[in-house]
Amino acid sequence: MGDVKLPAGAMNSILRLPRQVLFGRGVTSVVGDALRDMGRSVFLCTDANVEASGIASPVVDSLLASGFAVRTFAGAVAELPLSCVEACMREARRGPVDVVIGLGGGSSIDLAKVTAILLSYDGPIDRFYGENMVPGPVAPIVAIPTTAGTGSEVTPVAVVADPSRALKVGISDPRIIPTIAICDPELTLSCPPAVTGFSGVDALVHAVESFCAPRMVNDWSPYPGNVFRGHNELSRGYSLVAIERIERSLERAYADGGDLAARIDLAFASLCAGISFAHAGTATAHALQYPVGAATNTPHGLGVGLLLPYTLENARPDVDADLLDIAKALGLTGNGDLAGAAVDEIERLIHAVGVPTSLKEIGVQPGSLATFASEAMGISRLIRNAPRQMSELRCLRVLEAAWSGDRSLAGVGGE
Ligand SMILES: [Zn+2]
């Protein structure tokens, strides 16, 4: 794989999507019809909040009305610890399962993906860590998000917290792309402001990192090769649509959770950003968030959002051509340094919805930064997707700038 830049339209491109993607208000009422011909026994993975809020009821009612038998595990928890996966599997194995539904935030959907794998193949689960490690087809997965951010409803990725590993680990395989994604923006109306803000920021980072990913000469053999394949022509438009919608609606939804128009924009943006990064991939901000999140126990969206302006600054000028397109999507005009203005605006937006400005503020100790840089370099599927080739020293430079809250320290110069 090289880093040769090709003219627009000349890149090898790839789209791997669910068989159906349904988006719109009230679409959950037809879940039962959408799953027709997928068997009779549904296993639903969700969390206690979603179950208590009543959000699950129309989904379950629709399934029951269509003749499905429904069993529910409502124990999904954030960050998806293995103990949760094990409890879910004990429940799932008590009866037949034709379809696994994930209803909730990223953890519920990722739990459905892992459940589908473990119902189809013997564990232990660490057999499947990494890329393309699922041996064959898995039980059909249906994803119904209740937050607007992870994009997990369309991605080939599930992330779990394994106590035997210092960092969270990913299962990355096209075989766990959901068969059906059902996105009803009304399900996100009850998200509190912090969840709305951090989830929306996560979607923004997905859109920006996938758009700025390098143009790779995709040598098709071996296939499937890397799951994340860099910026490509079939996915790039989704990134720009997502950025445009997040720019116009994230602050509105954060200020007023009942703003349905803003919620629709964000749910759509999250879906589009998910489609884009499912192919193009995310990069340095996501790699650095793994150790930062593990050390500070802070939400994923907070971490990737905090880090993104610093990683972009570090990637300039290699990333400036892409930043000009992003500037347009952000509605920026003028003759000055539009690429720099795009990073400024991304930074402003992220902070406007509650993301802190420095790693110092979230309790990171400066003595940890070198370890974080080394750990992030170990996440090769993300690091190799950076627009500027990363080294441990470059990661450290980004982290030091992010720790002090001074973006200029991340720029090119010494390294
Ligand atoms: Zn993310």
Side-chain angles (χ1 to χ4, degrees):
M1 177 179 307
D3 58 357
V4 177
K5 291 208 171 183
L6 297 175
M11 278 172 274
N12 292 344
S13 294
I14 187 165
L15 268 189
R16 298 162 303 214
L17 290 170
R19 200 163 74 202
Q20 294 187 63
V21 179
L22 307 176
F23 181 93
R25 290 176 65 192
V27 69
T28 37
S29 63
V30 300
V31 170
D33 290 330
L35 271 65
R36 195 182 296 273
D37 303 329
M38 291 177 73
R40 298 270 44 103
S41 303
V42 165
F43 186 71
L44 177 69
C45 301
T46 189
D47 66 57
N49 287 337
V50 166
E51 192 180 48
S53 70
I55 287 176
S57 303
V59 174
V60 173
D61 290 348
S62 170
L63 290 165
L64 294 175
S66 294
F68 284 95
V70 182
R71 293 186 295 129
T72 300
F73 175 78
V77 293
E79 315 304 330
L80 201 48
L82 277 196
S83 54
C84 169
V85 173
E86 285 156 8
C88 181
M89 289 312 300
R90 281 195 293 276
E91 205 55 45
R93 290 195 173 107
R94 289 206 174 126
V97 179
D98 295 320
V99 185
V100 186
I101 297 183
L103 169 66
S107 297
S108 292
I109 295 173
D110 285 4
L111 179 60
K113 292 175 175 177
V114 175
T115 301
I117 296 171
L118 291 171
L119 282 172
S120 309
Y121 303 99
D122 290 335
I125 190 172
D126 61 8
R127 274 181 68 197
F128 311 110
Y129 295 164
E131 289 189 285
N132 300 312
M133 296 303 286
V134 179
V138 302
I141 301 158
V142 175
I144 309 174
T146 61
T147 60
T150 70
S152 186
E153 66 272 18
V154 288
T155 71
V157 181
V159 178
V160 300
D162 183 331
S164 72
R165 308 284 179 112
L167 304 181
K168 287 200 287 179
V169 279
I171 297 171
S172 198
D173 195 309
R175 291 183 171 110
I176 59 171
I177 294 170
T179 304
I180 305 182
I182 297 175
C183 309
D184 183 343
E186 288 187 350
L187 301 189
T188 68
L189 281 169
S190 58
C191 282
V195 174
T196 302
F198 297 148
S199 302
V201 165
D202 188 26
L204 177 65
V205 182
H206 295 159
V208 171
E209 288 208 299
S210 57
F211 193 79
C212 295
R215 277 76 171 161
M216 297 175 181
V217 176
N218 285 305
D219 40 354
W220 290 101
S221 180
Y223 187 82
N226 296 338
V227 173
F228 289 164
R229 303 189 74 94
H231 179 117
N232 79 68
E233 289 294 300
L234 284 170
S235 66
R236 70 193 300 274
Y238 288 103
S239 288
L240 296 175
V241 168
I243 292 165
E244 195 182 303
R245 304 256 178 150
I246 292 167
E247 170 72 9
R248 79 180 181 202
S249 291
L250 179 55
E251 287 169 279
R252 280 171 44 208
Y254 180 71
D256 174 10
D259 185 333
L260 183 61
R263 291 295 195 184
I264 291 171
D265 260 356
L266 291 184
F268 193 72
S270 172
L271 170 66
C272 289
I275 291 173
S276 189
F277 100 79
H279 306 87
T282 52
T284 319
H286 272 74
L288 293 172
Q289 191 278 332
Y290 273 72
V292 168
T296 58
N297 207 18
T298 47
H300 172 82
L302 179 155
V304 293
L306 193 161
L307 291 158
L308 181 69
Y310 300 96
T311 62
L312 290 175
E313 193 66 48
N314 183 261
R316 296 187 68 190
D318 293 357
V319 80
D320 280 10
D322 287 334
L323 284 173
L324 290 180
D325 285 328
I326 288 174
K328 267 188 233 160
L330 290 167
L332 303 174
T333 53
N335 297 319
D337 174 16
L338 272 182
V343 186
D344 290 344
E345 175 55 20
I346 287 167
E347 189 172 44
R348 184 204 66 75
L349 175 59
I350 283 169
H351 297 156
V353 296
V355 172
T357 56
S358 72
L359 293 177
K360 185 168 35 176
E361 276 175 66
I362 59 170
V364 170
Q365 298 300 313
S368 313
L369 299 180
T371 309
F372 291 178
S374 158
E375 288 176 333
M377 283 303 292
I379 309 173
S380 57
R381 77 177 195 282
L382 302 178
I383 285 295
R384 71 181 171 227
N385 214 34
R388 183 173 186 234
Q389 193 175 4
M390 294 307 289
S391 63
E392 203 164 315
L393 196 56
R394 282 186 184 153
C395 285
L396 183 58
R397 172 170 284 259
V398 169
L399 287 165
E400 285 170 347
W403 188 84
S404 62
D406 182 350
R407 209 175 85 207
S408 69
L409 297 177
V412 290
E415 170 55 35

mmCIF file of all heavy atoms in Angstrom, residues 117 121 127-128 131-138 171-173 175-176:
data_model
loop_
_atom_site.group_PDB
_atom_site.id
_atom_site.type_symbol
_atom_site.label_atom_id
_atom_site.label_comp_id
_atom_site.label_asym_id
_atom_site.label_seq_id
_atom_site.Cartn_x
_atom_site.Cartn_y
_atom_site.Cartn_z
ATOM 1 N N ILE A 117 -21.770 -13.042 16.580
ATOM 2 C CA ILE A 117 -20.548 -13.828 16.316
ATOM 3 C C ILE A 117 -20.514 -15.059 17.218
ATOM 4 O O ILE A 117 -20.308 -16.191 16.753
ATOM 5 C CB ILE A 117 -19.273 -12.982 16.587
ATOM 6 C CG1 ILE A 117 -19.180 -11.796 15.632
ATOM 7 C CG2 ILE A 117 -18.023 -13.861 16.462
ATOM 8 C CD1 ILE A 117 -18.057 -10.808 15.986
ATOM 9 N N TYR A 121 -20.062 -18.968 16.282
ATOM 10 C CA TYR A 121 -18.731 -19.591 16.404
ATOM 11 C C TYR A 121 -18.339 -19.694 17.868
ATOM 12 O O TYR A 121 -18.676 -18.829 18.677
ATOM 13 C CB TYR A 121 -17.684 -18.765 15.638
ATOM 14 C CG TYR A 121 -18.048 -18.606 14.191
ATOM 15 C CD1 TYR A 121 -18.665 -17.437 13.747
ATOM 16 C CD2 TYR A 121 -17.840 -19.647 13.289
ATOM 17 C CE1 TYR A 121 -19.050 -17.298 12.423
ATOM 18 C CE2 TYR A 121 -18.232 -19.516 11.961
ATOM 19 C CZ TYR A 121 -18.834 -18.345 11.533
ATOM 20 O OH TYR A 121 -19.228 -18.233 10.231
ATOM 21 N N ARG A 127 -10.388 -14.596 19.987
ATOM 22 C CA ARG A 127 -10.135 -15.155 18.646
ATOM 23 C C ARG A 127 -10.485 -14.160 17.543
ATOM 24 O O ARG A 127 -9.986 -14.242 16.427
ATOM 25 C CB ARG A 127 -11.063 -16.352 18.395
ATOM 26 C CG ARG A 127 -10.631 -17.683 18.870
ATOM 27 C CD ARG A 127 -11.691 -18.716 18.494
ATOM 28 N NE ARG A 127 -11.795 -18.940 17.053
ATOM 29 C CZ ARG A 127 -12.834 -19.524 16.462
ATOM 30 N NH1 ARG A 127 -13.871 -19.945 17.179
ATOM 31 N NH2 ARG A 127 -12.851 -19.706 15.166
ATOM 32 N N PHE A 128 -11.446 -13.285 17.851
ATOM 33 C CA PHE A 128 -12.012 -12.432 16.801
ATOM 34 C C PHE A 128 -11.450 -11.012 16.823
ATOM 35 O O PHE A 128 -11.819 -10.181 16.003
ATOM 36 C CB PHE A 128 -13.544 -12.393 16.926
ATOM 37 C CG PHE A 128 -14.159 -13.753 17.063
ATOM 38 C CD1 PHE A 128 -14.737 -14.172 18.268
ATOM 39 C CD2 PHE A 128 -14.127 -14.635 16.001
ATOM 40 C CE1 PHE A 128 -15.285 -15.434 18.398
ATOM 41 C CE2 PHE A 128 -14.670 -15.918 16.123
ATOM 42 C CZ PHE A 128 -15.248 -16.318 17.326
ATOM 43 N N GLU A 131 -8.594 -7.623 12.613
ATOM 44 C CA GLU A 131 -9.294 -7.421 11.346
ATOM 45 C C GLU A 131 -9.548 -8.751 10.646
ATOM 46 O O GLU A 131 -8.657 -9.603 10.583
ATOM 47 C CB GLU A 131 -8.453 -6.545 10.414
ATOM 48 C CG GLU A 131 -8.375 -5.099 10.853
ATOM 49 C CD GLU A 131 -7.725 -4.247 9.780
ATOM 50 O OE1 GLU A 131 -6.494 -4.331 9.639
ATOM 51 O OE2 GLU A 131 -8.444 -3.507 9.096
ATOM 52 N N ASN A 132 -10.754 -8.883 10.117
ATOM 53 C CA ASN A 132 -11.110 -10.049 9.292
ATOM 54 C C ASN A 132 -10.877 -11.379 10.001
ATOM 55 O O ASN A 132 -10.423 -12.354 9.398
ATOM 56 C CB ASN A 132 -10.305 -10.034 7.975
ATOM 57 C CG ASN A 132 -10.566 -8.798 7.166
ATOM 58 O OD1 ASN A 132 -11.720 -8.419 6.958
ATOM 59 N ND2 ASN A 132 -9.516 -8.134 6.725
ATOM 60 N N MET A 133 -11.181 -11.425 11.298
ATOM 61 C CA MET A 133 -10.938 -12.645 12.061
ATOM 62 C C MET A 133 -12.218 -13.469 12.278
ATOM 63 O O MET A 133 -12.173 -14.527 12.894
ATOM 64 C CB MET A 133 -10.307 -12.307 13.419
ATOM 65 C CG MET A 133 -8.928 -11.660 13.323
ATOM 66 S SD MET A 133 -7.747 -12.675 12.418
ATOM 67 C CE MET A 133 -7.435 -13.940 13.645
ATOM 68 N N VAL A 134 -13.362 -12.967 11.828
ATOM 69 C CA VAL A 134 -14.600 -13.741 11.947
ATOM 70 C C VAL A 134 -14.587 -14.762 10.815
ATOM 71 O O VAL A 134 -14.426 -14.394 9.647
ATOM 72 C CB VAL A 134 -15.840 -12.819 11.863
ATOM 73 C CG1 VAL A 134 -17.124 -13.633 11.953
ATOM 74 C CG2 VAL A 134 -15.782 -11.757 12.968
ATOM 75 N N PRO A 135 -14.722 -16.065 11.145
ATOM 76 C CA PRO A 135 -14.448 -17.084 10.128
ATOM 77 C C PRO A 135 -15.474 -17.190 9.013
ATOM 78 O O PRO A 135 -15.179 -17.771 7.964
ATOM 79 C CB PRO A 135 -14.390 -18.386 10.933
ATOM 80 C CG PRO A 135 -14.800 -18.081 12.321
ATOM 81 C CD PRO A 135 -14.932 -16.611 12.482
ATOM 82 N N GLY A 136 -16.679 -16.669 9.191
ATOM 83 C CA GLY A 136 -17.699 -16.813 8.150
ATOM 84 C C GLY A 136 -18.912 -15.994 8.511
ATOM 85 O O GLY A 136 -18.851 -15.140 9.397
ATOM 86 N N PRO A 137 -20.032 -16.274 7.840
ATOM 87 C CA PRO A 137 -21.242 -15.483 8.097
ATOM 88 C C PRO A 137 -21.714 -15.622 9.543
ATOM 89 O O PRO A 137 -21.496 -16.660 10.176
ATOM 90 C CB PRO A 137 -22.278 -16.079 7.142
ATOM 91 C CG PRO A 137 -21.568 -17.053 6.296
ATOM 92 C CD PRO A 137 -20.221 -17.314 6.853
ATOM 93 N N VAL A 138 -22.346 -14.587 10.057
ATOM 94 C CA VAL A 138 -22.890 -14.632 11.421
ATOM 95 C C VAL A 138 -24.405 -14.483 11.358
ATOM 96 O O VAL A 138 -24.961 -14.168 10.305
ATOM 97 C CB VAL A 138 -22.290 -13.518 12.317
ATOM 98 C CG1 VAL A 138 -20.768 -13.642 12.369
ATOM 99 C CG2 VAL A 138 -22.705 -12.132 11.834
ATOM 100 N N ILE A 171 -13.207 -5.499 17.162
ATOM 101 C CA ILE A 171 -13.420 -6.579 16.201
ATOM 102 C C ILE A 171 -13.854 -5.868 14.931
ATOM 103 O O ILE A 171 -14.852 -5.159 14.930
ATOM 104 C CB ILE A 171 -14.528 -7.540 16.679
ATOM 105 C CG1 ILE A 171 -14.111 -8.211 17.987
ATOM 106 C CG2 ILE A 171 -14.862 -8.569 15.599
ATOM 107 C CD1 ILE A 171 -15.218 -9.023 18.651
ATOM 108 N N SER A 172 -13.083 -6.031 13.899
ATOM 109 C CA SER A 172 -13.285 -5.244 12.695
ATOM 110 C C SER A 172 -13.410 -6.203 11.523
ATOM 111 O O SER A 172 -12.424 -6.836 11.131
ATOM 112 C CB SER A 172 -12.047 -4.339 12.559
ATOM 113 O OG SER A 172 -12.283 -3.288 11.699
ATOM 114 N N ASP A 173 -14.622 -6.363 11.017
ATOM 115 C CA ASP A 173 -14.842 -7.374 9.986
ATOM 116 C C ASP A 173 -16.138 -7.066 9.232
ATOM 117 O O ASP A 173 -17.181 -6.884 9.865
ATOM 118 C CB ASP A 173 -14.956 -8.759 10.665
ATOM 119 C CG ASP A 173 -14.826 -9.895 9.667
ATOM 120 O OD1 ASP A 173 -15.537 -9.865 8.642
ATOM 121 O OD2 ASP A 173 -14.032 -10.811 9.920
ATOM 122 N N ARG A 175 -18.124 -8.885 7.991
ATOM 123 C CA ARG A 175 -19.182 -9.870 8.279
ATOM 124 C C ARG A 175 -20.097 -9.418 9.412
ATOM 125 O O ARG A 175 -21.155 -10.004 9.620
ATOM 126 C CB ARG A 175 -18.558 -11.222 8.617
ATOM 127 C CG ARG A 175 -17.896 -11.858 7.408
ATOM 128 C CD ARG A 175 -17.355 -13.216 7.754
ATOM 129 N NE ARG A 175 -16.901 -13.911 6.562
ATOM 130 C CZ ARG A 175 -15.630 -14.162 6.276
ATOM 131 N NH1 ARG A 175 -14.674 -13.788 7.102
ATOM 132 N NH2 ARG A 175 -15.309 -14.795 5.165
ATOM 133 N N ILE A 176 -19.703 -8.405 10.178
ATOM 134 C CA ILE A 176 -20.588 -7.937 11.256
ATOM 135 C C ILE A 176 -21.278 -6.608 10.905
ATOM 136 O O ILE A 176 -21.855 -5.963 11.765
ATOM 137 C CB ILE A 176 -19.878 -7.844 12.628
ATOM 138 C CG1 ILE A 176 -18.672 -6.895 12.598
ATOM 139 C CG2 ILE A 176 -19.451 -9.236 13.088
ATOM 140 C CD1 ILE A 176 -18.105 -6.618 14.005
#
